[in-house]
Amino acid sequence: MRIARDKREQSSWRRQIECWRATAGEQHMRDGYIRWYRESAATPVLAAQAEAFAAYGLRLVHPGKGAAVVLDVEGDDVLMSPEELGRLLGLRIASLTVDWWLSADVDVVVEYAYEPLGCEIQTLWLDGLTPEQAGAVEAAVLAAAAALPVPTRAVVVDRKGAGDPREWDSPVLYDGENVPPPPDRLLLGPPVADRLLAALPELRGEPAEAGLTALTRARPA
């Protein structure tokens, strides 16, 4: 059985192991993730996101507990109604970690964070999922990006966790031109895609889902 508390309890020792490996020079893989940047967190969208996610089998309310599950700082489950969770997210005063559910035993841990520029970042962790389940989560994010009224700035899909999700904050949020190694998929909204394509000729763009542009590195001639 895979539950959110396991993920939180593992995070502390996982960070310790990663620090030890980095010191020892060992190459290792991180957890896979999807990092979703929304242009603004000012418009409440949790209910619309839940509706879009539900079409792909990803639900906010635990099927057995009848409530949304939020992780507190100790990693314990805090049950609350979706309405109360939406209110907390709307305050935008602190990061929150929330479970979304593919079944009563299979969860997707989602970290909500807010940047000074007003953007919301959702990081959805894919560890422990089958390829089919991870694909459903990716499809749910792109469906929500297309359906929600707030534009999406970027969606980064790194299924194997080859990079650190925070490395994308600079090019996506702060006009940085140092682009990390390409993930499995890099989908950008017009402002970010246009800027990076103009600044970095080695990149090429193609139309993708949700009105986004998929960026890849051009192959050498």
Side-chain angles (χ1 to χ4, degrees):
M1 179 175 178
R2 178 180 178 275
I3 59 174
R5 190 173 303 170
D6 293 335
K7 172 76 167 109
R8 176 64 71 171
E9 290 172 350
Q10 291 168 5
S11 64
S12 177
W13 62 257
R14 183 179 290 124
R15 286 194 296 269
Q16 295 177 27
I17 293 174
E18 289 184 352
C19 289
W20 176 83
R21 285 174 170 171
T23 302
E26 180 180 341
Q27 298 295 321
H28 60 286
M29 301 294 289
R30 299 180 177 89
D31 293 336
Y33 66 86
I34 298 172
R35 195 159 172 91
W36 179 18
Y37 297 82
R38 293 177 52 240
E39 287 284 5
S40 173
T43 303
V45 296
L46 183 63
Q49 180 178 340
E51 182 177 353
F53 275 21
Y56 296 86
L58 192 58
R59 302 186 183 279
L60 179 61
V61 173
H62 186 278
K65 299 176 181 178
V69 179
V70 178
L71 296 178
D72 66 16
V73 294
E74 300 298 330
D76 293 324
D77 295 348
V78 177
L79 304 183
M80 62 179 62
S81 68
E83 293 76 17
E84 177 64 11
L85 175 57
R87 188 189 70 81
L88 289 177
L89 290 172
L91 294 176
R92 309 189 303 278
I93 57 176
S95 299
L96 287 176
T97 302
V98 179
D99 267 328
W100 290 77
W101 301 93
L102 287 165
S103 71
D105 297 330
V106 180
D107 66 333
V108 178
V109 177
V110 182
E111 297 173 358
Y112 291 76
Y114 302 95
E115 294 299 314
L117 298 176
C119 292
E120 178 190 77
I121 303 173
Q122 295 185 32
T123 304
L124 300 89
W125 295 101
L126 305 177
D127 57 305
L129 302 182
T130 66
E132 292 76 16
Q133 290 169 338
V137 174
E138 179 181 340
V141 170
L142 293 175
L148 298 184
V150 178
T152 286
R153 194 172 183 86
V155 176
V156 181
V157 181
D158 187 344
R159 301 186 188 99
K160 298 181 179 65
D164 187 328
R166 295 169 297 182
E167 293 176 342
W168 291 100
D169 291 357
S170 175
V172 171
L173 296 175
Y174 302 112
D175 295 340
E177 296 179 0
N178 183 20
V179 178
D184 295 288
R185 299 193 75 191
L186 176 60
L187 308 173
L188 303 177
V192 183
D194 294 346
R195 175 173 54 79
L196 290 181
L197 287 171
L200 302 170
E202 68 271 23
L203 297 179
R204 63 187 181 113
E206 297 179 352
E209 303 97 316
L212 303 173
T213 299
L215 262 64
T216 58
R217 293 191 183 274
R219 296 179 179 179

